[in-house]
């Protein structure tokens, strides 16, 4: 049973544009929702995270929007840069992390 | 400050062999989790340890085992290796086992021939 569904699988955005990645979860016991960024050959790096009692969290160019009733959350990357090109994973946690399958983002100069 | 460190970085084994992977958490972190990441997929949860006790186990066979030491470092052991065990094995640490950011190491790349 896949508990976290992530879309799209891949995304191409022009430099300066907005990248949007969506996730839907099933387990209402999740109490923590992180986003990770992973470059080839590296482990996932925590980007930003949100708890279900908050509807939005912004850190620099990165924003999480959270809709508890719809069991959905999304990552917005404003002013996308070529250096943002990486694979992004959403997750849900009540202890152990359940990850989505990932979105490969390519930002074209 | 040092992040999560894992050793070795790469490992090549043959089917049927045994492997031990090691992880040192961030200083002060008492919870360690292990994940398996197959190419092109998200990491899958294997084990979580907190204060040397197993707190959770994912859907992996009994060939997989782990332990946590008094200094909070951890080992993941895999017996009777199969070709399908080829993956990146990631370790993550956090202050506590729930509701806390997990910080990952760069993993051990295990290849089974």
């Amino acid at each position: 049973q896949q508990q976290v569904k992530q879309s799209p699988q891949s995304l191409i955005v022009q430099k300066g544009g907005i990248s949007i990645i969506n996730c839907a979860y099933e387990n209402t016991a999740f109490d923590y929702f992180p986003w990770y960024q992973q470059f080839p050959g590296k482990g996932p790096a925590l980007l930003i995270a949100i708890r279900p009692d908050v509807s939005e969290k912004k850190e620099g160019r990165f924003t999480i929007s959270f809709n508890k009733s719809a069991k959905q959350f999304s990552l917005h990357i404003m002013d996308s840069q070529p250096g943002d090109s990486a694979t992004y994973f959403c997750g849900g946690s009540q202890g152990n992390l359940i990850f989505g399958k990932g979105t490969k983002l390519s930002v074209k100069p | 400050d040092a992040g999560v460190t894992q050793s070795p970085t790469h490992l090549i084994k043959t089917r049927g062999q045994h492997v031990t992977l090691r992880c040192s958490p961030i200083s002060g972190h008492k919870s360690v989790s292990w994940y398996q990441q197959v190419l092109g997929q998200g990491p899958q949860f294997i084990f979580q340890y907190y204060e040397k006790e197993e707190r959770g186990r994912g859907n992996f066979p009994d060939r997989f085992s782990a332990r946590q030491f008094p200094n909070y470092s951890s080992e993941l052991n895999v017996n009777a290796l199969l070709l399908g065990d080829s993956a990146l094995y990631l370790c993550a640490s956090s202050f506590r086992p729930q509701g806390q950011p997990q910080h990952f190491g760069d993993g051990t790349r295990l290849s089974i021939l």
Side-chain angles (χ1 to χ4, degrees), chain A residues 31-32 36 38 43 51 95 97, chain B residues 35 37 42 97-99 101-102 106:
Chain A
D31 59 4
Y32 181 73
Y36 284 85
Q38 187 175 29
R51 301 191 190 278
L97 269 168
Chain B
Y35 295 82
Q37 186 176 27
Q98 188 164 350
Q102 291 191 23
D106 285 336

Side-chain angles (χ1 to χ4, degrees), chain B residues 56-67:
Chain B
R57 183 185 184 119
N59 188 23
F60 281 81
D62 291 343
R63 299 184 296 108
F64 288 76
S65 63
R67 56 179 175 168

Side-chain angles (χ1 to χ4, degrees), chain A residues 31-32 36 38 41-44 46 51 89 93-101, chain B residues 35 37 40-43 45 48 88 90 97-106:
Chain A
D31 59 4
Y32 181 73
Y36 284 85
Q38 187 175 29
K42 294 292 188 180
L46 182 63
R51 301 191 190 278
F89 294 96
S93 174
Q94 53 171 142
N96 54 285
L97 269 168
I98 305 298
F99 285 92
K101 290 189 174 182
Chain B
Y35 295 82
Q37 186 176 27
Q41 298 292 318
F45 171 70
Q48 184 180 60
L88 179 68
L90 295 162
Q98 188 164 350
Q100 295 286 315
Q102 291 191 23
H103 299 274
F104 284 80
D106 285 336

Side-chain angles (χ1 to χ4, degrees), chain B residues 8-98:
Chain B
T9 54
H10 294 85
L11 203 51
I12 299 174
K13 292 285 188 178
T14 58
R15 283 176 294 176
Q17 285 189 311
H18 162 271
V19 69
T20 297
L21 311 180
R22 295 177 174 84
C23 171
S24 292
I26 292 171
S27 178
H29 285 190
K30 298 182 178 180
S31 181
V32 169
S33 298
W34 287 94
Y35 295 82
Q36 181 196 64
Q37 186 176 27
V38 175
L39 197 63
Q41 298 292 318
Q44 278 205 300
F45 171 70
I46 309 176
F47 285 109
Q48 184 180 60
Y49 277 79
Y50 177 63
E51 293 280 18
K52 296 172 289 181
E53 291 192 2
E54 182 182 305
R55 291 292 297 260
R57 183 185 184 119
N59 188 23
F60 281 81
D62 291 343
R63 299 184 296 108
F64 288 76
S65 63
R67 56 179 175 168
Q68 187 177 32
F69 298 99
N71 66 353
Y72 304 111
S73 67
S74 179
E75 283 183 355
L76 176 69
N77 295 282
V78 187
N79 293 322
L81 287 167
L82 303 174
L83 292 177
D85 295 332
S86 295
L88 179 68
Y89 288 86
L90 295 162
C91 174
S93 75
S94 57
F95 282 110
R96 290 186 297 275
Q98 188 164 350

